[in-house]
Amino acid sequence: RRSHMAVSYTDPQVSMDLLRAVLQPSFNEDIMAVFRKYQKFFEKAAENVKENVGDDVQTDQLMREACRNVLEHAKQLFPEAEVNRGRSEAAIKRSRPAADEDYS
Amino acid sequence: RRSHMAVSYTDPQVSMDLLRAVLQPSFNEDIMAVFRKYQKFFEKAAENVKENVGDDVQTDQLMREACRNVLEHAKQLFPEAEVNRGRSEAAIKRSRPAADEDYS
């Protein structure tokens, strides 16, 4: 898609994503610290699920999926369109679901 | 969608997502606090982009997109499957969270 990325330093999205990539490791550390606060809840829930459903349940995988879902839902903190009027229009213009957006 | 959700309490994903939904507001608060730490960097970058590219740049929108991208990339902290993908390959295929990143 963005085959011009390597040279297009004036592309606003690319510029911002360069900074994003630089900050990502720090973000990850801080975000991981947040998740550690809640880890025991997810562990307990996954254990309960395993007890109720059966031993074929992969608790680790359940927990990771839950964590990814937390991050996905947290995107609502930064909604795509600011103007209420442009909201539906922006949603239509997107070829991909907004929730999955990733510039790469 | 999950039309069976209302009755399927034994669905592991549903059980976990109920907990996820309960914890989401607390997560959002903590995650927002993390983003506030880095907000000034994104603000500065967005201002620079606006200066370089033009006044039609929506700095708020750029910043929110960057924040959503941070969350998307943070999902790599919780990789989906144990596919032993090579590190380099994972770096290239950035659109999918890869199992190569750890929070250690």
Side-chain angles (χ1 to χ4, degrees):
Chain A
R1 276 154 247 164
R2 290 180 188 270
S3 54
H4 62 295
M5 187 178 137
V7 288
S8 188
Y9 291 116
T10 55
D11 183 317
Q13 269 83 21
V14 170
S15 303
M16 292 300 282
D17 206 61
L18 288 174
L19 173 64
R20 195 277 311 154
V22 167
L23 295 179
Q24 189 74 49
S26 305
F27 265 112
N28 282 1
E29 240 176 79
D30 291 350
I31 286 172
M32 203 58 216
V34 169
F35 276 88
R36 268 189 220 104
K37 281 177 60 178
Y38 303 94
Q39 192 175 9
K40 60 177 180 298
F41 297 114
F42 286 120
E43 274 170 4
K44 185 76 185 166
E47 285 304 323
N48 283 341
V49 166
K50 195 185 178 77
E51 266 176 42
N52 294 331
V53 177
D55 284 340
D56 55 329
V57 169
Q58 306 247 25
T59 53
D60 279 4
Q61 214 159 309
L62 276 182
M63 286 174 57
R64 287 198 302 273
E65 188 183 0
C67 292
R68 290 195 304 273
N69 285 336
V70 165
L71 292 168
E72 182 61 37
H73 281 79
K75 288 180 186 173
Q76 294 171 13
L77 290 167
F78 311 103
E80 201 153 344
E82 191 170 51
V83 200
N84 357 347
R85 196 163 76 80
R87 204 180 180 83
S88 54
E89 199 187 337
I92 290 164
K93 276 179 79 177
R94 299 278 164 179
S95 55
R96 287 179 299 161
D100 288 334
E101 184 165 325
D102 189 350
Y103 94 99
S104 54
Chain B
R1 288 176 56 177
R2 289 184 190 273
S3 53
H4 62 296
M5 188 175 141
V7 289
S8 188
Y9 291 115
T10 55
D11 181 320
Q13 270 84 19
V14 170
S15 302
M16 293 299 283
D17 206 60
L18 288 174
L19 174 63
R20 196 276 314 154
V22 167
L23 294 179
Q24 189 74 48
S26 305
F27 265 112
N28 282 1
E29 239 176 82
D30 291 349
I31 287 173
M32 202 58 213
V34 169
F35 276 89
R36 270 189 220 103
K37 280 178 60 179
Y38 303 93
Q39 192 174 9
K40 59 177 179 298
F41 297 114
F42 285 119
E43 274 171 3
K44 185 76 185 165
E47 285 304 323
N48 283 341
V49 166
K50 195 185 178 75
E51 266 176 42
N52 293 331
V53 177
D55 284 340
D56 56 329
V57 169
Q58 306 247 23
T59 54
D60 279 3
Q61 213 160 309
L62 277 182
M63 287 174 56
R64 286 198 302 273
E65 188 180 2
C67 292
R68 289 194 304 273
N69 284 337
V70 165
L71 292 168
E72 181 61 37
H73 282 79
K75 290 180 185 173
Q76 294 172 14
L77 291 166
F78 312 103
E80 200 152 345
E82 313 300 290
V83 191
N84 274 340
R85 239 188 253 163
R87 206 182 177 80
S88 54
E89 193 193 340
I92 291 164
K93 293 195 72 177
R94 286 197 301 166
S95 57
R96 295 267 313 192
D100 67 327
E101 200 155 310
D102 209 63
Y103 55 88
S104 52

